[in-house]
Amino acid sequence: MAKSTSKRFTIGVLSKHAGVKIETIRYYEKSGILPDPQRTTGGYRSYTNEHLTRLVFIRRCRELGFSMSDIRELLALADDTEMHCVDIHDRTMRHADAIRTKIKHLQNMERTLRKIASKCDGDDAPQCPIIESLQGAGSLLS
Amino acid sequence: MAKSTSKRFTIGVLSKHAGVKIETIRYYEKSGILPDPQRTTGGYRSYTNEHLTRLVFIRRCRELGFSMSDIRELLALADDTEMHCVDIHDRTMRHADAIRTKIKHLQNMERTLRKIASKCDGDDAPQCPIIESLQGAGSLLS
DNA sequence: AGTTGACTCTGTAGTTACTACGGGGTTTAT
DNA sequence: ATAAACCCCGTAGTAACTACAGAGTCAACT
């Protein structure tokens, strides 16, 4: 768990590694969700691995349907701040429960999709039984 | 599997049951993701349970971070359309794989959050070990 | 029948979270 | 030293809603 190499890099490099567009990174900075980086003498933003970690986390959260304020709260948990232990416990549990629900829904969807795929597997029959498979209890829309 | 009761209801009722705002329902209709319902003589929209099912599915997908075009594709799978079996197989598997990745990330987050909560459980110690728990390999940000 | 209140209609404008672009300065490589 | 590639900031555009205004509809009392 040695402290990671603290090389600094530009916004373009950060963008590539995090999979987040440059404009979006600046947008996150402006909205306070990603801390202002140091600047070079020329005025260029200079990032560290901590920025990268945080940015990847933000990107993932967005892909998983969390709002910016959700993410702000989750990051506050990671950033400590001056919250009380009890607050943290409650907030954390609420988030964990919401996430569990998301997982359940995704698991249902994945199961149904794989069922559909397996029915369409192998033979290229003129009409695959997709409609039927979607009417039943295990419907994608259920 | 009897055909569900085909009572019709207004947009307000649909909104309440689906947990989707009226304006959003009209927006979905305009963007073609929710089929145009019948109208009463007075011009009111008249919905069925099929609309409800579809709308709940759309809402969930949005909460899970799917874009409108993702949802359009998923609904196309449910709606049959004139796609070939092979197409469906490929698309379905791609979606299933993406969903599996989402599940993995959410499971990591849930595990980490519950760990944090359990550390903050019971005693109201002056400083809970949140920061440390977030630095390690099982960090929320990892 | 009339009227009140809750509901719905359409269309337009505002919000959130990006995304693209334009005009300029900086850095790097030849 | 001069392009090419990169970065700066600000503004405008997009996607997916969300709110509001002004008018019509419906159900239920008197």
Side-chain angles (χ1 to χ4, degrees):
Chain A
M1 305 299 173
K3 194 186 166 210
S4 54
T5 59
S6 55
K7 273 187 188 159
R8 304 199 144 262
F9 38 85
T10 66
I11 198 169
V13 174
L14 179 65
S15 171
K16 284 256 166 66
H17 282 70
V20 177
K21 299 232 165 73
I22 289 176
E23 291 89 351
T24 307
I25 294 171
R26 290 199 279 251
Y27 171 74
Y28 287 156
E29 179 183 322
K30 199 164 47 171
S31 55
I33 209 169
L34 192 68
D36 293 21
Q38 282 183 19
R39 299 285 185 130
T40 66
T41 49
Y44 281 22
R45 289 171 178 82
S46 173
Y47 294 97
T48 66
N49 272 319
E50 279 67 45
H51 289 101
L52 177 56
T53 304
R54 197 178 177 94
L55 185 55
V56 169
F57 177 76
I58 294 169
R59 193 204 69 203
R60 269 192 205 145
C61 283
R62 295 292 298 128
E63 285 170 1
L64 293 168
F66 294 96
S67 70
M68 297 290 269
S69 61
D70 286 337
I71 297 173
R72 239 179 280 272
E73 258 212 57
L74 290 169
L75 286 171
L77 291 173
D79 289 345
D80 180 37
T81 71
E82 69 292 331
M83 283 192 294
H84 286 313
C85 220
V86 179
D87 278 347
I88 291 176
H89 179 77
D90 290 357
R91 285 157 191 270
T92 306
M93 289 301 278
R94 260 196 298 105
H95 284 297
D97 290 347
I99 287 169
R100 181 162 286 180
T101 303
K102 285 193 180 206
I103 291 171
K104 287 234 174 75
H105 289 315
L106 285 171
Q107 281 171 339
N108 282 339
M109 288 181 67
E110 193 201 343
R111 191 160 11 87
T112 308
L113 285 170
R114 297 222 186 266
K115 213 187 294 173
I116 293 171
S118 76
K119 288 211 176 140
C120 280
D121 206 7
D123 57 59
D124 202 352
Q127 52 190 18
C128 27
I130 288 154
I131 307 134
E132 299 95 287
S133 81
L134 285 170
Q135 305 314 4
S139 164
L140 186 59
L141 303 188
S142 70
Chain B
M1 302 301 171
K3 197 187 167 209
S4 54
T5 61
S6 54
K7 274 188 187 156
R8 303 198 146 263
F9 37 86
T10 65
I11 198 169
V13 174
L14 179 66
S15 171
K16 284 254 166 65
H17 283 71
V20 176
K21 299 231 166 73
I22 289 177
E23 291 89 350
T24 308
I25 294 172
R26 290 199 279 250
Y27 171 75
Y28 287 156
E29 179 183 323
K30 199 163 49 170
S31 57
I33 209 170
L34 191 67
D36 293 22
Q38 282 183 20
R39 297 287 184 129
T40 66
T41 50
Y44 282 20
R45 288 169 178 84
S46 172
Y47 294 97
T48 65
N49 273 318
E50 280 66 47
H51 289 100
L52 177 57
T53 304
R54 199 180 175 93
L55 185 53
V56 169
F57 177 76
I58 293 168
R59 194 205 69 203
R60 269 193 204 143
C61 283
R62 294 293 298 128
E63 286 170 2
L64 294 168
F66 293 96
S67 70
M68 297 290 270
S69 62
D70 287 337
I71 296 172
R72 237 179 282 272
E73 258 211 57
L74 289 169
L75 286 171
L77 292 173
D79 289 344
D80 181 36
T81 72
E82 69 292 330
M83 283 193 295
H84 286 311
C85 219
V86 180
D87 279 346
I88 291 177
H89 179 77
D90 289 357
R91 286 158 190 268
T92 306
M93 288 302 277
R94 260 196 299 106
H95 284 294
D97 290 347
I99 287 169
R100 180 162 287 180
T101 302
K102 286 193 179 205
I103 291 171
K104 286 232 174 80
H105 289 315
L106 284 172
Q107 282 171 340
N108 282 339
M109 288 180 69
E110 194 201 343
R111 190 159 11 86
T112 308
L113 286 170
R114 296 218 187 270
K115 213 187 295 174
I116 292 172
S118 75
K119 289 209 176 145
C120 281
D121 206 5
D123 56 59
D124 203 353
Q127 51 189 18
C128 28
I130 288 153
I131 307 134
E132 299 93 288
S133 82
L134 286 170
Q135 305 313 5
S139 163
L140 186 59
L141 303 186
S142 69

